[in-house]
Amino acid sequence: MYDVMPTDEEDWTVDPWGAQIRDLPQFGPCIISRGAVNTKGPLAALFNVLGAIKEVEGKLPVNLVFAIEGEEEMGSRHFPAFLEEYREKFAKAEAVLFPFFEQDETGVPNITLGTKGMLYFELSCQGGDWGGPRSRGIHGSFNAWVKNPAWRLVQALSKLVDVNENFLIENFEKDVSPLDQKEMNLLQSQIEAGSFDENVFLENYDVKRLKYDGEGMAVWEKLFSRPQLNINGIYSGYCGPETKTVLPHVATAKIDVRMVPHMVPDQVIQAIRDHLDKNGFPDIEMKIYNNYYWSKVSIDECVVQAMIDTYRVMGKEPQIWPIEPGSAPYYVFERYLKIPYVAGGMGHGARQHSSNEYCTVQGVLDFEKSMVIFFDQYVKKVAAMNQPDQQCSLSTE
């Protein structure tokens, strides 16, 4: 992955494409740039590591096949077809590494055992048989006798969730599976050990309170077990400075769903469409942009165990998450090629998809060290596994 998000935010403190180093409170020298953490920074740092290993050792400790695409932020729309076309080149691969800075603001790294699926769509309401202007905005005073598409879209959106953002869509959650007991026990043991602190998130993301009441397991497990229906943006009519009275002819909302096991993307789409129709909004257009499955990987896989041991060699005990709250197309490796994967590496960065995205300079150096250690740990794991009566052992304590 080398693509990045747009830089439409207004409060960048540097040129978002300039990769400038600035001191940040708490973190010291940091590279501020779009892509610093997501994911030009880790990708460039990985190449540094590979070059250094070859210079010192003469060759890499493992054979590598690179699959580097520029559409992840757009849903990796052509990635499945790409992997299918080059299936033979990937068929001998034993594992997948997604290099990433995985330390949080307190320095604790994490490992995720999968990722949520992604559905990104647009709801659009335009004037038509139900009312509203059809081809252009008109003077706002005519709202006295002409309906407004923006009001209609808002009313349709209000039918999707209640005031507490509980889902109102029939069959939306029918395939949702709770975390299994092993995952719950793993979370509980980390909570009891003090690994999880929601206040770290609240402070660093400038959030006053979480969606759910409670603390500990009551809130943490929902981050991993619950799907989401998120409005990314709503726009219609005039949004410029000062005033302009207008009755717009179209209103649009961009929405994403993060799907957990065992939700089926096409069934989720149909549930939303049916719900809108049932509640009197068949005219609202639903345009699908991204649509792909959730994915899971076992903690027992050698590549996962190698990353866990990497963190421990560097003096850090990782948090282990049942699933990544965000989304990435790991399903293509799991479902199509049956290859396990891991995302990881030392280093800290944050504010991806927001202004002033950054990674720490020290974190880049730590990441490069961690990748050298990771390859060494992976080779040792595989060698041990190939011995009679041996396998990658579970190592979570």
Side-chain angles (χ1 to χ4, degrees), residues 278-342:
K278 179 181 177 180
N279 284 274
F281 299 99
D283 56 285
I284 290 185
E285 179 183 355
M286 185 178 183
K287 181 177 181 180
I288 309 299
Y289 286 99
N290 305 334
N291 179 22
Y292 60 76
Y293 275 90
W294 49 271
S295 180
K296 290 286 289 181
V297 66
S298 171
I299 195 173
D300 299 322
E301 295 287 353
C302 283
V303 69
V304 177
Q305 288 295 307
M307 189 63 73
I308 292 174
D309 286 351
T310 295
Y311 293 143
R312 289 173 175 165
V313 167
M314 298 189 72
K316 295 291 185 178
E317 184 64 28
Q319 291 181 0
I320 301 176
W321 291 8
I323 201 166
E324 166 62 46
S327 301
Y330 298 161
Y331 78 99
V332 296
F333 299 107
E334 177 203 2
R335 288 174 179 262
Y336 294 173
L337 302 178
K338 309 300 182 184
I339 302 175
Y341 55 82
V342 71

Coordinates of all heavy atoms in Angstrom, one line a residue, residues 278-342:
K278 N -38.7 0.2 2.6 CA -39.8 -0.1 3.5 C -40.2 1.1 4.3 O -41.4 1.3 4.6 CB -39.3 -1.2 4.5 CG -40.4 -1.5 5.6 CD -39.9 -2.6 6.5 CE -40.9 -2.9 7.6 NZ -40.4 -3.9 8.6
N279 N -39.3 2.1 4.5 CA -39.6 3.3 5.3 C -39.9 4.4 4.4 O -40.0 5.6 4.8 CB -38.4 3.6 6.2 CG -38.4 2.7 7.4 OD1 -39.0 3.0 8.4 ND2 -37.6 1.7 7.4
G280 N -40.2 4.2 3.1 CA -40.7 5.2 2.2 C -39.7 6.0 1.5 O -40.0 7.1 1.0
F281 N -38.5 5.5 1.3 CA -37.5 6.2 0.6 C -36.9 5.4 -0.6 O -35.7 5.3 -0.7 CB -36.3 6.6 1.6 CG -36.8 7.5 2.7 CD1 -37.0 6.9 4.0 CD2 -36.9 8.8 2.6 CE1 -37.5 7.7 5.0 CE2 -37.4 9.6 3.6 CZ -37.6 9.1 4.8
P282 N -37.7 4.9 -1.4 CA -37.2 4.1 -2.6 C -36.5 5.0 -3.6 O -35.7 4.5 -4.4 CB -38.5 3.5 -3.2 CG -39.6 4.5 -2.8 CD -39.2 4.9 -1.4
D283 N -36.7 6.3 -3.6 CA -36.1 7.2 -4.5 C -34.7 7.6 -4.2 O -33.9 8.0 -5.0 CB -36.9 8.5 -4.5 CG -37.0 9.2 -3.2 OD1 -37.8 8.6 -2.3 OD2 -36.3 10.1 -2.9
I284 N -34.3 7.3 -3.0 CA -32.9 7.6 -2.6 C -31.9 6.6 -3.2 O -32.0 5.4 -3.0 CB -32.7 7.7 -1.0 CG1 -33.5 8.9 -0.5 CG2 -31.3 7.7 -0.6 CD1 -33.4 9.1 1.0
E285 N -31.0 7.1 -4.0 CA -30.1 6.3 -4.7 C -28.9 5.8 -3.8 O -28.4 6.6 -2.9 CB -29.4 7.1 -5.9 CG -28.4 6.3 -6.7 CD -27.8 7.1 -7.8 OE1 -28.2 8.3 -8.0 OE2 -26.9 6.6 -8.4
M286 N -28.6 4.6 -3.9 CA -27.5 4.0 -3.1 C -26.4 3.6 -4.1 O -26.5 2.6 -4.9 CB -28.0 2.8 -2.3 CG -27.0 2.2 -1.4 SD -27.7 0.8 -0.5 CE -26.4 0.3 0.6
K287 N -25.2 4.2 -4.0 CA -24.1 4.0 -4.9 C -23.0 3.3 -4.1 O -22.5 3.9 -3.1 CB -23.6 5.3 -5.6 CG -22.5 5.0 -6.5 CD -22.0 6.3 -7.2 CE -20.9 6.1 -8.2 NZ -20.5 7.4 -8.9
I288 N -22.6 2.1 -4.5 CA -21.6 1.4 -3.8 C -20.2 1.7 -4.4 O -20.0 1.6 -5.6 CB -21.8 -0.2 -3.9 CG1 -23.3 -0.5 -3.5 CG2 -20.8 -0.9 -3.0 CD1 -23.6 -0.1 -2.1
Y289 N -19.2 2.0 -3.5 CA -17.9 2.2 -3.9 C -17.0 1.1 -3.5 O -16.3 0.5 -4.4 CB -17.3 3.5 -3.3 CG -17.9 4.8 -3.9 CD1 -19.0 5.5 -3.2 CD2 -17.4 5.3 -5.0 CE1 -19.5 6.6 -3.8 CE2 -17.9 6.4 -5.6 CZ -19.0 7.1 -5.0 OH -19.5 8.2 -5.5
N290 N -16.9 0.7 -2.2 CA -16.1 -0.4 -1.8 C -16.9 -1.4 -1.1 O -17.9 -1.1 -0.4 CB -15.0 0.1 -0.8 CG -14.2 1.3 -1.3 OD1 -14.0 1.4 -2.5 ND2 -13.6 2.1 -0.5
N291 N -16.5 -2.7 -1.2 CA -17.3 -3.7 -0.6 C -16.4 -5.0 -0.5 O -16.2 -5.7 -1.5 CB -18.5 -4.0 -1.5 CG -19.4 -5.1 -1.0 OD1 -19.4 -5.5 0.2 ND2 -20.1 -5.7 -1.9
Y292 N -15.9 -5.3 0.7 CA -15.1 -6.5 0.8 C -15.2 -7.1 2.3 O -15.7 -6.4 3.2 CB -13.7 -6.3 0.5 CG -12.9 -5.3 1.2 CD1 -12.4 -5.5 2.5 CD2 -12.5 -4.1 0.6 CE1 -11.6 -4.6 3.2 CE2 -11.7 -3.1 1.3 CZ -11.3 -3.4 2.6 OH -10.5 -2.5 3.3
Y293 N -14.8 -8.3 2.4 CA -15.0 -9.2 3.5 C -14.1 -8.8 4.7 O -13.0 -8.3 4.5 CB -14.8 -10.6 3.2 CG -16.0 -11.3 2.6 CD1 -16.3 -11.3 1.3 CD2 -17.0 -12.0 3.5 CE1 -17.4 -12.0 0.7 CE2 -18.1 -12.6 3.0 CZ -18.3 -12.6 1.6 OH -19.4 -13.3 1.1
W294 N -14.6 -9.2 5.9 CA -13.7 -9.2 7.1 C -12.7 -10.4 6.9 O -12.9 -11.2 6.0 CB -14.6 -9.4 8.3 CG -15.5 -10.6 8.2 CD1 -16.8 -10.5 7.7 CD2 -15.3 -12.0 8.4 NE1 -17.4 -11.8 7.6 CE2 -16.5 -12.7 8.0 CE3 -14.2 -12.7 8.9 CZ2 -16.6 -14.1 8.2 CZ3 -14.3 -14.1 9.0 CH2 -15.5 -14.7 8.7
S295 N -11.7 -10.5 7.8 CA -10.8 -11.6 7.8 C -10.3 -11.9 9.2 O -10.3 -11.0 10.1 CB -9.6 -11.2 6.9 OG -8.6 -12.2 6.8
K296 N -9.9 -13.1 9.4 CA -9.3 -13.6 10.6 C -8.0 -14.4 10.4 O -7.9 -15.1 9.4 CB -10.3 -14.4 11.4 CG -11.5 -13.6 11.9 CD -11.1 -12.7 13.1 CE -10.9 -13.6 14.3 NZ -10.6 -12.7 15.5
V297 N -7.1 -14.3 11.4 CA -5.9 -15.1 11.3 C -5.7 -15.7 12.7 O -6.0 -15.0 13.7 CB -4.7 -14.3 10.9 CG1 -4.4 -13.2 11.9 CG2 -3.5 -15.2 10.6
S298 N -5.1 -16.9 12.8 CA -4.8 -17.5 14.1 C -3.6 -17.0 14.8 O -2.6 -16.7 14.1 CB -4.7 -19.0 13.9 OG -4.3 -19.7 15.1
I299 N -3.7 -16.9 16.1 CA -2.5 -16.4 16.8 C -1.4 -17.5 16.8 O -0.2 -17.2 17.0 CB -2.9 -16.1 18.3 CG1 -1.8 -15.4 19.0 CG2 -3.2 -17.4 19.0 CD1 -2.2 -14.9 20.4
D300 N -1.7 -18.7 16.4 CA -0.8 -19.8 16.4 C 0.1 -19.8 15.1 O 1.1 -20.6 15.0 CB -1.5 -21.1 16.5 CG -2.2 -21.3 17.8 OD1 -1.7 -20.8 18.8 OD2 -3.4 -21.8 17.8
E301 N -0.2 -19.0 14.1 CA 0.6 -18.9 12.9 C 2.0 -18.5 13.2 O 2.2 -17.6 14.0 CB -0.1 -18.0 11.9 CG -1.4 -18.5 11.4 CD -1.3 -19.7 10.4 OE1 -0.2 -20.1 10.1 OE2 -2.4 -20.2 10.1
C302 N 2.9 -19.1 12.5 CA 4.4 -18.7 12.7 C 4.6 -17.3 12.5 O 5.4 -16.6 13.2 CB 5.2 -19.6 11.8 SG 5.5 -21.3 12.3
V303 N 4.0 -16.7 11.5 CA 4.3 -15.3 11.2 C 3.8 -14.4 12.3 O 4.4 -13.3 12.6 CB 3.7 -14.9 9.8 CG1 2.1 -14.9 9.8 CG2 4.2 -13.6 9.3
V304 N 2.6 -14.8 12.9 CA 2.1 -14.0 14.0 C 3.0 -14.1 15.3 O 3.3 -13.2 16.0 CB 0.7 -14.4 14.4 CG1 0.1 -13.6 15.6 CG2 -0.2 -14.2 13.2
Q305 N 3.4 -15.4 15.5 CA 4.3 -15.6 16.7 C 5.6 -14.9 16.5 O 6.2 -14.5 17.5 CB 4.5 -17.1 16.9 CG 3.2 -17.9 17.4 CD 2.9 -17.4 18.8 OE1 3.7 -17.5 19.7 NE2 1.6 -17.0 19.0
A306 N 6.1 -14.9 15.3 CA 7.4 -14.2 15.1 C 7.3 -12.7 15.4 O 8.2 -12.1 16.0 CB 7.8 -14.4 13.6
M307 N 6.1 -12.1 15.1 CA 6.0 -10.7 15.4 C 5.8 -10.5 16.9 O 6.4 -9.5 17.5 CB 4.7 -10.1 14.7 CG 4.6 -8.6 14.8 SD 6.0 -7.7 14.0 CE 5.6 -7.9 12.2
I308 N 5.1 -11.3 17.6 CA 5.0 -11.2 19.0 C 6.4 -11.3 19.7 O 6.7 -10.5 20.6 CB 4.1 -12.4 19.6 CG1 2.6 -12.1 19.1 CG2 4.1 -12.4 21.1 CD1 1.6 -13.2 19.5
D309 N 7.2 -12.3 19.2 CA 8.5 -12.5 19.8 C 9.4 -11.3 19.5 O 10.3 -10.9 20.2 CB 9.2 -13.8 19.3 CG 8.6 -15.0 20.0 OD1 7.8 -14.8 20.9 OD2 8.8 -16.1 19.5
T310 N 9.2 -10.7 18.3 CA 10.0 -9.5 17.9 C 9.8 -8.4 19.0 O 10.7 -7.7 19.4 CB 9.6 -9.0 16.6 OG1 9.9 -10.0 15.6 CG2 10.2 -7.7 16.2
Y311 N 8.5 -8.1 19.3 CA 8.2 -7.1 20.3 C 8.9 -7.4 21.6 O 9.4 -6.5 22.3 CB 6.7 -6.9 20.5 CG 6.0 -6.4 19.3 CD1 4.7 -6.9 18.9 CD2 6.6 -5.4 18.5 CE1 4.1 -6.3 17.8 CE2 5.9 -4.9 17.4 CZ 4.7 -5.4 17.1 OH 4.0 -4.9 16.0
R312 N 8.8 -8.7 22.0 CA 9.4 -9.1 23.3 C 10.9 -9.0 23.3 O 11.5 -8.6 24.3 CB 9.0 -10.5 23.6 CG 7.5 -10.6 24.0 CD 7.0 -12.0 24.2 NE 5.6 -12.0 24.6 CZ 4.8 -13.0 24.6 NH1 5.2 -14.2 24.1 NH2 3.5 -12.9 25.0
V313 N 11.6 -9.3 22.2 CA 13.0 -9.1 22.1 C 13.4 -7.7 22.3 O 14.4 -7.4 22.9 CB 13.5 -9.6 20.7 CG1 15.0 -9.2 20.5 CG2 13.4 -11.2 20.7
M314 N 12.5 -6.8 21.9 CA 12.8 -5.3 22.0 C 12.2 -4.8 23.3 O 12.1 -3.6 23.5 CB 12.2 -4.6 20.8 CG 12.8 -5.0 19.5 SD 12.4 -4.0 18.1 CE 13.3 -2.5 18.4
G315 N 11.8 -5.7 24.2 CA 11.4 -5.2 25.6 C 10.0 -4.8 25.7 O 9.7 -4.1 26.7
K316 N 9.1 -5.1 24.8 CA 7.7 -4.7 24.8 C 6.8 -5.9 24.8 O 7.0 -6.8 24.0 CB 7.4 -3.8 23.6 CG 8.2 -2.5 23.6 CD 7.7 -1.5 24.7 CE 8.4 -0.2 24.6 NZ 7.9 0.8 25.6
E317 N 5.8 -5.8 25.7 CA 4.8 -6.8 25.7 C 3.6 -6.3 24.9 O 3.0 -5.2 25.2 CB 4.3 -7.2 27.1 CG 3.3 -8.3 27.2 CD 3.8 -9.6 26.7 OE1 5.1 -9.8 26.8 OE2 3.0 -10.4 26.2
P318 N 3.2 -6.9 23.8 CA 2.2 -6.4 22.9 C 0.8 -6.6 23.4 O 0.5 -7.5 24.1 CB 2.4 -7.1 21.6 CG 2.9 -8.5 22.0 CD 3.8 -8.2 23.2
Q319 N -0.1 -5.6 23.1 CA -1.5 -5.9 23.2 C -1.9 -6.8 22.0 O -1.4 -6.6 20.9 CB -2.3 -4.6 23.1 CG -2.2 -3.7 24.3 CD -3.1 -2.4 24.1 OE1 -3.7 -2.2 23.1 NE2 -3.0 -1.5 25.1
I320 N -2.8 -7.7 22.3 CA -3.3 -8.6 21.2 C -4.8 -8.4 21.0 O -5.6 -8.6 21.9 CB -3.0 -10.1 21.5 CG1 -1.5 -10.2 21.7 CG2 -3.5 -11.0 20.4 CD1 -1.0 -11.6 22.1
W321 N -5.2 -7.9 19.8 CA -6.5 -7.5 19.6 C -7.2 -8.6 18.7 O -6.5 -9.1 17.7 CB -6.6 -6.2 18.8 CG -6.2 -5.0 19.6 CD1 -5.7 -5.0 20.9 CD2 -6.4 -3.6 19.2 NE1 -5.5 -3.7 21.3 CE2 -5.9 -2.8 20.3 CE3 -6.8 -3.0 18.1 CZ2 -5.9 -1.5 20.3 CZ3 -6.8 -1.6 18.1 CH2 -6.3 -0.8 19.1
P322 N -8.4 -9.0 19.0 CA -9.1 -10.0 18.2 C -9.3 -9.7 16.8 O -9.3 -10.5 15.9 CB -10.4 -10.2 18.9 CG -10.2 -9.7 20.3 CD -9.2 -8.6 20.2
I323 N -9.4 -8.4 16.5 CA -9.6 -7.9 15.1 C -9.2 -6.4 15.0 O -9.3 -5.7 16.0 CB -11.0 -8.2 14.7 CG1 -11.1 -8.2 13.1 CG2 -12.0 -7.1 15.2 CD1 -12.5 -8.8 12.6
E324 N -8.8 -6.0 13.9 CA -8.5 -4.6 13.6 C -9.8 -3.8 13.5 O -10.6 -4.2 12.7 CB -7.6 -4.5 12.4 CG -7.5 -3.1 11.8 CD -6.8 -2.1 12.8 OE1 -5.8 -2.4 13.4 OE2 -7.4 -1.0 12.9
P325 N -10.0 -2.8 14.3 CA -11.2 -2.0 14.1 C -11.4 -1.3 12.7 O -12.5 -1.1 12.3 CB -11.1 -0.9 15.2 CG -10.2 -1.5 16.2 CD -9.2 -2.3 15.4
G326 N -10.3 -1.1 12.1 CA -10.3 -0.5 10.7 C -10.4 -1.7 9.7 O -10.7 -2.8 10.0
S327 N -10.1 -1.3 8.5 CA -10.3 -2.3 7.4 C -9.1 -2.3 6.5 O -8.5 -1.3 6.2 CB -11.6 -2.0 6.6 OG -12.7 -2.0 7.4
A328 N -8.8 -3.5 5.9 CA -7.8 -3.7 4.9 C -8.1 -5.0 4.2 O -8.7 -5.9 4.8 CB -6.4 -3.7 5.5
P329 N -7.7 -5.1 2.9 CA -8.1 -6.3 2.2 C -7.3 -7.6 2.4 O -6.9 -8.2 1.5 CB -8.0 -5.8 0.7 CG -6.8 -4.9 0.8 CD -6.9 -4.2 2.1
Y330 N -7.1 -7.9 3.7 CA -6.4 -9.1 4.0 C -7.1 -10.4 3.6 O -6.6 -11.4 3.4 CB -6.1 -9.2 5.5 CG -5.2 -8.1 6.0 CD1 -5.1 -7.8 7.4 CD2 -4.4 -7.3 5.2 CE1 -4.4 -6.8 7.9 CE2 -3.6 -6.3 5.7 CZ -3.6 -6.0 7.0 OH -2.8 -5.0 7.5
Y331 N -8.5 -10.2 3.4 CA -9.3 -11.3 3.0 C -8.8 -12.0 1.7 O -9.0 -13.2 1.5 CB -10.7 -10.9 2.9 CG -11.1 -10.2 1.6 CD1 -11.6 -10.9 0.5 CD2 -10.7 -8.9 1.4 CE1 -11.9 -10.2 -0.7 CE2 -11.0 -8.2 0.2 CZ -11.6 -8.9 -0.8 OH -11.8 -8.2 -2.0
V332 N -8.2 -11.2 0.8 CA -7.7 -11.8 -0.5 C -6.7 -12.8 -0.3 O -6.6 -13.8 -1.0 CB -7.2 -10.7 -1.4 CG1 -8.3 -9.7 -1.8 CG2 -6.0 -9.9 -0.8
F333 N -5.8 -12.6 0.8 CA -4.8 -13.7 1.1 C -5.4 -14.8 1.8 O -5.1 -16.0 1.5 CB -3.7 -13.0 1.9 CG -3.0 -11.9 1.2 CD1 -3.2 -10.6 1.6 CD2 -2.1 -12.1 0.1 CE1 -2.6 -9.5 1.0 CE2 -1.5 -11.1 -0.5 CZ -1.7 -9.8 -0.1
E334 N -6.3 -14.6 2.8 CA -6.9 -15.6 3.5 C -7.9 -16.5 2.7 O -7.8 -17.7 2.7 CB -7.6 -15.0 4.7 CG -8.4 -16.1 5.6 CD -9.5 -15.5 6.4 OE1 -9.8 -14.3 6.3 OE2 -10.2 -16.3 7.1
R335 N -8.8 -15.8 2.0 CA -9.8 -16.5 1.3 C -9.4 -17.1 -0.1 O -9.7 -18.2 -0.4 CB -11.0 -15.6 1.0 CG -11.8 -15.3 2.3 CD -12.9 -14.3 2.1 NE -13.6 -14.1 3.3 CZ -14.8 -14.7 3.6 NH1 -15.4 -15.5 2.7 NH2 -15.4 -14.4 4.7
Y336 N -8.6 -16.3 -0.8 CA -8.2 -16.7 -2.2 C -6.9 -17.6 -2.2 O -6.8 -18.6 -2.9 CB -7.9 -15.5 -3.0 CG -9.2 -14.7 -3.3 CD1 -9.0 -13.5 -4.0 CD2 -10.4 -15.1 -2.9 CE1 -10.2 -12.7 -4.3 CE2 -11.5 -14.3 -3.2 CZ -11.4 -13.1 -3.9 OH -12.5 -12.4 -4.2
L337 N -5.9 -17.3 -1.3 CA -4.7 -18.0 -1.4 C -4.4 -18.8 -0.2 O -3.4 -19.5 -0.2 CB -3.5 -16.9 -1.6 CG -3.6 -16.0 -2.8 CD1 -2.5 -15.0 -2.8 CD2 -3.6 -16.9 -4.1
K338 N -5.2 -18.7 0.9 CA -5.0 -19.5 2.1 C -3.7 -19.3 2.7 O -3.0 -20.2 3.2 CB -5.2 -21.0 1.8 CG -6.5 -21.4 1.1 CD -7.7 -21.0 1.8 CE -9.0 -21.4 1.1 NZ -10.2 -20.9 1.8
I339 N -3.3 -18.0 2.8 CA -2.0 -17.6 3.3 C -2.2 -16.8 4.6 O -2.9 -15.8 4.6 CB -1.1 -16.8 2.3 CG1 -0.9 -17.6 1.0 CG2 0.2 -16.4 2.9 CD1 -0.2 -16.8 -0.1
P340 N -1.5 -17.1 5.7 CA -1.6 -16.3 6.9 C -0.9 -15.0 6.8 O 0.0 -14.9 5.9 CB -1.0 -17.2 8.0 CG 0.0 -18.0 7.3 CD -0.6 -18.3 5.9
Y341 N -1.2 -14.0 7.6 CA -0.6 -12.7 7.5 C -0.4 -12.1 8.9 O -1.0 -12.6 9.9 CB -1.5 -11.8 6.7 CG -2.9 -11.7 7.2 CD1 -3.3 -10.8 8.2 CD2 -4.0 -12.5 6.7 CE1 -4.6 -10.8 8.7 CE2 -5.3 -12.5 7.2 CZ -5.6 -11.6 8.2 OH -6.8 -11.5 8.7
V342 N 0.4 -11.1 8.9 CA 0.5 -10.3 10.1 C 0.8 -8.8 9.7 O 1.5 -8.6 8.7 CB 1.7 -10.8 11.0 CG1 3.0 -10.6 10.4 CG2 1.6 -10.2 12.4

